[in-house]
Amino acid sequence: MTNALILIIEDEPEIAEILETYFAREGFRVICAGDGPTGLAHHQRLRPDLVVLDIKLPGQDGYEVLAAIRRRGATPVIMVTALAEDLDKLQALRIGADDYVVKPFNPLEVVARARAVLRRTLGRGPETILRLGPLTVDPQAHRAVVETGRGPVPLDLTPTEFRILAHMAASPGRAFARADLVDACLPEGEALDRTVDSHVSNLRRKLAAAGAEGLLSGVRGVGYRLEALDAP
Ligand code: CA
């Protein structure tokens, strides 16, 4: 866990620096962003294990940044707020933060909270293994396997194909718009609908070759869906 990558989104340089110092001292890798758009770009590109997110940011505030992170997936987020009102805390947790700290904070406490959140989220253990019919996706091991009559066939996927598969497998039966998949799964410079189409088409071909054809289908006018099948 200690080599986990922490993204700190905080516009006050002194606070960012203190947090960075403490996290780094505890063995974490750290990247900082001084505003929401930069933070979201780092999040997209670097896929941090946890985000420490200030609420009061210039321009796009922490709530908007949190909502954007949540549209992409389940990266754990700890909100940092100077506002001690309970309402704000509740709002942050309701829209999907994993924890919050109130300024002025003890940086050691922030690190301790981050460890606790990471233990909770990384330690989700076997439940994070996703099973759909013959397909098993293990996001932590970065492995996808199709069970066939001849035994298990591992899929040889590119990182982007794997992300698309794992993202869709987490919500079986849901129709994903191309834009959702672009946001959640594609590296930044590649963010185009037709790029998603080509990744998905390769993914379908590999699934079919492994004996799982029909599992991933197009949804006309929308995008794609992984069928919700019970594991055998
Ligand atoms: Ca601030």
Side-chain angles (χ1 to χ4, degrees):
M1 178 199 296
T2 45
N3 69 349
L5 178 64
I6 310 292
L7 168 60
I8 296 169
I9 308 178
E10 165 64 78
D11 60 313
E12 288 161 76
E14 311 79 45
I15 294 180
E17 207 181 307
I18 290 170
L19 284 172
E20 182 177 13
T21 304
Y22 275 78
F23 273 108
R25 196 183 288 167
E26 298 289 314
F28 291 94
R29 294 174 297 135
V30 186
I31 176 101
C32 294
D35 57 65
T38 309
L40 286 172
H42 285 340
H43 175 262
Q44 176 99 324
R45 194 163 45 86
L46 302 168
R47 319 237 153 224
D49 299 288
L50 182 136
V51 179
V52 177
L53 174 60
D54 187 30
I55 289 182
K56 284 222 161 154
L57 293 167
Q60 197 177 25
D61 73 16
Y63 293 118
E64 294 171 76
V65 175
L66 175 60
I69 290 174
R70 279 294 159 268
R71 281 196 294 276
R72 291 176 184 169
T75 313
V77 176
I78 296 180
M79 302 291 278
V80 177
T81 171
L83 320 158
E85 291 91 37
D86 287 336
L87 269 181
D88 288 298
K89 296 174 192 171
L90 287 174
Q91 192 189 346
L93 294 173
R94 200 175 53 231
I95 61 169
D98 296 87
D99 202 352
Y100 61 86
V101 289
V102 179
K103 287 179 185 173
F105 52 72
N106 173 347
L108 278 176
E109 196 199 332
V110 182
V111 175
R113 297 280 189 95
R115 278 188 194 289
V117 168
L118 283 169
R119 251 197 310 276
R120 221 161 59 216
T121 50
L122 296 174
R124 277 174 196 154
E127 300 104 76
T128 61
I129 293 178
L130 309 159
R131 292 196 172 82
L132 282 179
L135 173 71
T136 302
V137 182
D138 181 346
Q140 289 184 41
H142 231 261
R143 262 171 68 84
V145 172
V146 175
E147 200 56 56
T148 69
R150 310 163 268 139
V153 178
L155 295 174
D156 184 18
L157 303 178
T158 65
T160 300
E161 288 161 10
F162 186 87
R163 276 203 293 274
I164 291 172
L165 184 64
H167 186 67
M168 294 182 75
S171 308
R174 174 180 155 190
F176 286 89
R178 287 179 177 79
D180 291 341
L181 297 175
V182 167
D183 241 22
C185 308
L186 260 60
E188 221 179 345
E190 233 189 90
L192 289 170
D193 286 5
R194 65 169 183 277
T195 324
V196 159
D197 288 339
S198 92
H199 288 294
V200 169
S201 127
N202 291 335
L203 183 54
R204 279 170 101 166
R205 187 171 42 73
K206 291 178 183 180
L207 281 166
E213 58 260 292
L215 190 61
L216 174 54
S217 43
V219 181
R220 204 168 166 169
V222 180
Y224 298 99
R225 176 172 60 221
L226 264 186
E227 299 305 328
L229 300 174
D230 290 332

